[in-house]
Structures are given as C-alpha cells and as structure tokens.
Amino acid sequence: MIDTTALTPAFGVGVTGLAIDDLHDDAVVSRLVEALKWRGVLLIRGLGLDDDAQLAFSRKLGTVVQAAPGEEIFTVSLDPSKARSAEYLKGTFHWHIDDTTNDVPAKATMLTARHVAMVGGGTEFASTYAAYENLPESERKRYEGLRVVHSFEAAQRLVHPDPTPEQLAVYRSLPTHETSLVWQRRDGRKSLVIGATADHIVGMRPDESRALLDELLAWTTQDRFSYTHEWTVGDVVIWDNTGMLHRALPYDPSSERLMRRTTIVGDEAWS
Ligand code: OGA
Ligand code: MN
C-alpha cells in the first residue's frame, strides 16, 4: 500500500510502498503531483528507475526540458568525462534555485542516484515558502515591492572569487534577470527568490543589499526550514524548483557519485 510521511514538519514528503509499475496508474501520479506541490520535495527511496523509466515518469509530470535537442536526461557528476557541465556543477555546492535567470523557471527537477559518494554528497533543501510564511509581519511588509537582479556571475563568484577577465567575459555574456524578492504566484502562494544567483536588490546601497540577501538566506536555510537527503543508490528525489533552495553537500570529486537528472518545463514566469 502506498503511504506518505512528512520528511520534516515544514515540508517534504517520503513515499513508501510504491513500485515502478504503480507509476502507470494516473491516480497514483496525481497523488504524487499534489504531494509535490504542497510539500515541495518528494522522496521515493530505492525505486531504482533506469533512464527509460525516469523519462516515462518525468513525462507524466509535464513536458521534459531538452538541455540540447533530443537531450532530455543528463548526468550530474563532477567527472568531466561523464558530465559536460562538470565545471559549472561546482556552483551547486552553494544554496541556489535553478533557472532564476530565465523568464520561466522549471517547475520541477528529478534526480535519481545511480552511484553515491562514500562520504558526504547529500543534497540539502530549504523551503522558501515556509521561510516566507514564518517571517514577522513587519518584515513581510518591508520586502513587498523589492526586486532582485539574478546573475550567473554572482553564483560563479562564490566558486571563483577572483575570476580571470576571460571567465568574467563568459559569465557576463549570459543574461541577467530581475525578479520580485517575494514571488506571489497565480494561486496566491508566496515564496522568496534568493540564493547564489541573487546579485543585488534594485535601488538599494550595495552593502545594505548584500546584508539583506545574506540575512534572508541565513533565515531560510536554518534547520527548521531545511532537510538533508543522504542518498542511497536507486533513490528518486523530485523538488519544486520554484520554491526550494538546494545545494549539494561536499564530496570527493573523484568519487563515483553520479545522478541522472530530468527537468519539467514550468508554466509560470517569475514576477
Ligand atoms: C541540480 C543540483 C544538487 C546535487 O541538479 O540542479 O543542484 O546534489 N544538484 O547534485
Ligand atoms: Mn540545482
């Protein structure tokens, strides 16, 4: 029997008693979609999806993002011989939301663990919905109307604090994107749009802007709004990319850790 339990009081849901064949059942999939929507992170331990099964499951959740034409699934690994973007994955060790520099963020991301690190290599999540809801009323008022510029450069500077002119040119060739600090969705739910890509707050003094962004990140990633997933081979984790900050925990770059990743196209632009 399929059962669900909270991963933490604030968010996250673990699903037990589910077999791969159950994913063909639309009623089961609807239940998973609802759970993901309201709980932000969905964990199915040891499900053991292979590429075909991961793609089939992902397609049930929506349109799968193509990283390149025909490339719907790709590898997350620090080994450049296994993952094309291994270099930029170093940025995943800092709290971030994917796609903040796009107009429309991906709705959800699915990772399946094919190999895990001997030590470390967990993935941590923090709910920007829970963090926002628990802010004092006076602060919520203060943040209304503030806007944040997100950039690839801000995220990369955490990895390379002293970039070469060539590195800077690459970072700056990518578009920056402005979002509201507090995102109110069509359905009324609110969350914070912060993390590694948050470069500055529009119209605020740089030092004040940095201090506020750092303070909000520290608030959001405190234990009561966070969850750490320690991977076992076969685990599936899906998260609501629009509301979950996430980061990889350190591991030996020469370790075997390898994830397969699919991403679901979003349907609501940042405001
Ligand atoms: C990602 C990501 C974290 C991890 O795939 O977007 O941030 O633990 N991954 O590999
Ligand atoms: Mn990410």
Side-chain angles (χ1 to χ4, degrees):
M1 205 189 64
I2 297 169
D3 213 350
T4 56
T5 41
L7 298 177
T8 74
F11 75 105
V13 60
V15 182
T16 54
L18 184 130
I20 292 179
D21 282 345
D22 295 325
L23 299 175
H24 301 301
D25 181 339
D26 288 344
V28 169
V29 173
S30 306
R31 220 175 124 189
L32 298 180
V33 167
E34 277 301 291
L36 175 63
K37 175 170 179 190
W38 294 108
R39 301 295 297 171
V41 174
L42 194 140
L43 162 66
I44 313 169
R45 268 204 190 273
L47 189 63
L49 299 177
D50 61 15
D51 279 2
D52 286 344
Q54 181 168 350
L55 276 168
F57 182 23
S58 301
R59 290 193 184 111
K60 297 236 170 205
L61 305 179
T63 304
V64 179
V65 174
Q66 303 204 3
E71 196 185 310
E72 294 181 297
I73 186 162
F74 72 96
T75 295
V76 173
S77 161
L78 289 178
D79 180 344
S81 72
K82 294 180 180 148
R84 237 188 314 122
S85 50
E87 169 59 26
Y88 291 116
L89 288 174
K90 291 177 188 160
T92 62
F93 293 105
H94 299 272
W95 286 110
H96 66 282
I97 296 174
D98 299 334
D99 290 351
T100 50
T101 54
N102 295 355
D103 289 339
V104 180
K107 186 192 298 207
T109 302
M110 182 187 299
L111 286 184
T112 60
R114 306 303 171 90
H115 296 282
V116 297
M118 298 272 272
V119 181
T123 305
E124 243 183 327
F125 297 93
S127 170
T128 68
Y129 300 98
Y132 177 79
E133 278 158 24
N134 284 282
L135 281 170
E137 174 69 28
S138 59
E139 283 193 49
R140 278 187 270 162
K141 278 237 154 61
R142 212 176 110 213
Y143 304 145
E144 255 171 48
L146 293 186
R147 300 195 56 81
V148 186
V149 172
H150 293 268
S151 72
F152 185 65
E153 180 181 341
Q156 283 301 308
R157 275 186 185 275
L158 297 171
V159 186
H160 304 288
D162 293 306
T164 63
E166 290 75 21
Q167 283 174 317
L168 259 185
V170 172
Y171 307 159
R172 292 188 178 163
S173 69
L174 294 158
T176 62
H177 191 243
E178 195 182 301
T179 70
S180 55
L181 173 61
V182 177
W183 187 25
Q184 174 156 6
R185 295 119 204 279
R186 285 192 293 253
D187 65 5
R189 293 174 84 202
K190 290 183 181 177
S191 61
L192 296 168
V193 191
I194 53 174
T197 57
D199 193 278
H200 65 274
I201 292 179
V202 176
M204 198 178 272
R205 258 194 13 228
D207 56 334
E208 281 177 23
S209 162
R210 192 69 263 156
L212 177 54
L213 290 169
D214 290 349
E215 187 193 314
L216 283 172
L217 190 66
W219 168 262
T220 305
T221 57
Q222 60 181 305
D223 283 352
R224 65 179 169 134
F225 308 132
S226 310
Y227 167 73
T228 304
H229 180 60
E230 302 289 358
W231 294 94
T232 328
V233 171
D235 290 353
V236 185
V237 172
I238 311 170
W239 70 88
D240 165 0
N241 175 64
T242 70
M244 295 301 123
L245 279 163
H246 58 281
R247 67 173 174 181
L249 292 174
Y251 57 95
D252 182 351
S254 66
S255 91
E256 293 283 292
R257 187 190 197 265
L258 190 149
M259 310 276 164
R260 293 288 273 167
R261 183 185 198 270
T262 44
T263 314
I264 312 302
V265 173
D267 58 8
E268 189 167 0
W270 301 112
S271 58

